[in-house]
Amino acid sequence: MGSGTEIGRVRGLGSAHHGPLHWWHQKITAGTNLLFMAWLMISIARLPGYDYASVRTWLSSAWVAVPMLLLIASVFYHFRLGLQVVIEDYAHAESRVVLMILLNLFVAVTAGIAIFSILKVAFGAAA
């Protein structure tokens, strides 16, 4: 026997069972963020200098650019997941859809700018 009333089961009301997947994505991105940020801090600490030329040379390596792109993707996805929970829990029902659209647009635009910047430097854009 399922939980809830018969009319609720007929109408499809109740849990959508998306919570565990959302929770796992949040935990996985938190772990990858931790690993990528540790890699970034160690990599930056090992740079010979912090001038533009040194950082550009460092970022032009595929061994650096690819993890940087993965870091950006992971951080922004984690950010989106976290704010989605805040919006779903605390925003008024009338404004949730608008806030979710704005959140998705903000994340897509800012992640796109970050990815474009990394690729521009990685592929040797002139200063």
Side-chain angles (χ1 to χ4, degrees):
M1 219 48 218
S3 62
T5 64
E6 289 183 29
I7 191 71
R9 284 191 298 274
V10 170
R11 290 183 179 160
L13 302 176
S15 176
H17 302 289
H18 289 289
L21 181 65
H22 188 98
W23 183 83
W24 272 112
H25 283 195
Q26 189 85 20
K27 300 307 168 204
I28 290 170
T29 56
T32 58
N33 289 346
L34 183 66
L35 292 174
F36 280 127
M37 284 302 219
W39 165 82
L40 180 63
M41 294 300 123
I42 292 168
S43 295
I44 288 175
R46 296 184 63 199
L47 281 175
Y50 299 112
D51 57 313
Y52 178 75
S54 296
V55 174
R56 187 172 149 221
T57 303
W58 172 72
L59 193 55
S60 66
S61 167
W63 292 104
V64 175
V66 171
M68 284 294 288
L69 293 171
L70 293 173
L71 171 67
I72 294 297
S74 179
V75 165
F76 277 98
Y77 185 56
H78 185 78
F79 172 76
R80 187 202 162 280
L81 289 172
L83 281 182
Q84 177 183 346
V85 171
V86 171
I87 290 170
E88 289 172 350
D89 289 348
Y90 298 110
H92 293 288
E94 302 84 31
S95 61
R96 280 188 196 141
V97 172
V98 173
L99 289 173
M100 284 304 298
I101 290 170
L102 290 173
L103 172 64
N104 289 333
L105 284 173
F106 175 77
V107 169
V109 168
T110 52
I113 291 169
I115 289 169
F116 175 76
S117 300
I118 291 169
L119 291 175
K120 187 173 179 179
V121 173
F123 289 129

